[in-house]
């Protein structure tokens, strides 16, 4: 199993954010982590990426226990954080080369060329990141996340702020990556789940309130579609 989350709790001071969540994300599948704003999606992803510690509970990536700031699972993980912080002053290719050094990637020129090609960044590779549109910045964020060919990708709202064409490109790229990797993708957009996700986990107020393979939506729930289910589970609670 690629991502195992076991009874994670997180509070920011007195503010509870996660209330004992458990779920599993499996290889070769895209898991849509769906929830309203403030549900706890980013908090979960920050914990899984080792950016912040949980208050209690455990999680592992590819069998390696996650640790706040620990380097052990960096090899396994590609993370696209919310607000996608980028090396704004660097050229696209330069930023990727810098990261390739950090990850000690062998054959780095060939790998950078592959990733530029996969993410459709060829026309922008000699531009500075701070001169790129939002859509291309997201592609650079994804290129950075996949550069070292990790088994697990954690993508925090990777399509937010993209126009319809960029959205389609990004979704098909993620779907393609999901065939080989374990992808955990957070979103509050139902169509995104319908378009690219194999599994669905719905989080609300720091609790998992539904988890199922997308193909079983109709047989498990009588609601007419994901949106109706989501509204029933998350409104007025
Ligand atoms: P989501 O990603 O689903 O929108 P978050 O994980 O960002 O949700 O937030 C979950 C809860 O934790 C919210 O109530 C939010 O206000 C709170 N929260 C998130 N980050 C912080 C922080 N740094 N300090 C205090 N509260 C926070």
């Amino acid at each position: 199993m690629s991502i195992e989350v076991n009874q994670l709790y997180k509070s920011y001071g007195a503010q509870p954010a996660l209330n004992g969540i458990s779920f599993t994300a499996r290889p070769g599948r895209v898991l849509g982590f769906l929830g309203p704003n403030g549900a706890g999606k980013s908090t979960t992803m920050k914990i899984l990426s080792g950016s912040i510690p949980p208050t209690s509970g455990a999680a592992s990536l590819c069998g390696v226990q996650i640790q706040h700031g620990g380097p052990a699972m960096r090899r396994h993980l590609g993370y696209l954080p919310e607000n996608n912080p980028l090396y704004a002053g660097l050229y696209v290719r330069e930023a990727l080369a810098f990261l390739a050094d950090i990850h000690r990637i062998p054959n780095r020129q060939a790998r950078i060329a592959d990733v530029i090609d996969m993410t459709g960044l060829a026309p922008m590779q000699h531009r500075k990141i701070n001169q790129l549109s939002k859509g291309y910045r997201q592609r650079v964020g994804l290129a950075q996340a996949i550069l070292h060919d990790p088994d697990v990708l954690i993508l925090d709202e990777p399509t937010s702020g993209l126009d319809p064409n960029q959205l389609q490109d990004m979704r098909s790229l993620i779907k393609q990556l999901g065939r080989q990797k374990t992808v955990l993708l957070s979103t509050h957009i139902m169509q995104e789940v319908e378009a690219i996700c194999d599994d669905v986990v719905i989080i609300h107020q720091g609790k998992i309130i539904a988890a199922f393979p997308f193909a079983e939506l109709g047989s498990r729930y009588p609601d007419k579609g994901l949106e109706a289910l989501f509204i029933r589970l998350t409104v007025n609670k």
Side-chain angles (χ1 to χ4, degrees):
M1 296 293 183
S2 261
I3 305 179
E4 297 252 17
V5 176
N6 192 6
Q7 285 294 310
L8 275 189
Y9 286 81
K10 175 70 181 176
S11 295
Y12 296 99
Q15 169 73 45
L18 296 178
N19 248 311
I21 64 162
S22 302
F23 65 89
T24 300
R26 289 178 286 154
R29 297 175 76 86
V30 179
L31 187 153
F33 195 44
L34 186 63
N37 286 325
K41 303 182 296 295
S42 289
T43 298
T44 305
M45 293 177 144
K46 285 177 190 161
I47 292 171
L48 291 177
S49 64
S51 314
I52 60 171
T55 303
S56 67
S60 62
L61 300 183
C62 303
V64 180
Q65 285 295 316
I66 59 130
Q67 247 184 334
H68 175 216
M73 82 268 182
R74 230 175 263 159
R75 183 163 54 88
H76 298 293
L77 173 68
Y79 176 41
L80 177 60
E82 100 188 298
N83 306 323
N84 186 13
L86 294 165
Y87 305 105
L90 296 189
Y91 294 92
V92 171
R93 203 169 238 285
E94 196 183 10
L96 293 174
F98 174 67
L99 274 174
D101 277 350
I102 291 178
H103 287 299
R104 300 200 177 107
I105 291 172
N107 304 321
R108 58 174 225 169
Q109 289 309 332
R111 179 62 187 161
I112 290 169
D114 274 357
V115 166
I116 283 177
D117 189 41
M118 278 167 73
T119 51
L121 277 169
M124 299 295 152
Q125 60 182 310
H126 301 300
R127 297 253 186 118
K128 277 197 175 171
I129 290 173
N130 59 15
Q131 295 167 348
L132 301 182
S133 66
K134 170 93 183 165
Y136 276 110
R137 281 172 184 237
Q138 288 293 88
R139 287 179 203 225
V140 176
L142 190 62
Q144 291 183 348
I146 64 177
L147 187 64
H148 58 303
D149 199 20
D151 296 323
V152 175
L153 284 177
I154 294 183
L155 310 175
D156 198 348
E157 305 210 2
T159 62
S160 77
L162 302 189
D163 72 31
N165 289 326
Q166 296 168 334
L167 199 81
Q168 205 154 14
D169 287 350
M170 186 63 113
R171 285 181 182 166
S172 59
L173 180 56
I174 293 168
K175 197 168 172 153
Q176 202 183 316
L177 288 165
R179 298 206 183 101
Q180 299 123 36
K181 301 181 185 299
T182 304
V183 180
L184 176 64
L185 170 146
S186 76
T187 181
H188 55 268
I189 308 164
M190 311 299 144
Q191 293 89 322
E192 187 130 302
V193 175
E194 288 162 356
I196 55 178
C197 296
D198 304 290
D199 296 301
V200 185
V201 169
I202 303 179
I203 181 170
H204 179 47
Q205 296 177 342
K207 290 196 183 115
I208 305 285
I209 50 173
F212 54 89
F214 183 66
E216 293 178 17
L217 174 68
S219 61
R220 287 198 188 204
Y221 296 96
D223 310 74
K224 288 198 173 54
L226 188 61
E227 186 151 12
L229 172 67
F230 183 82
I231 290 170
R232 177 166 68 77
L233 292 177
T234 60
V235 168
N236 297 328
K237 281 200 174 175

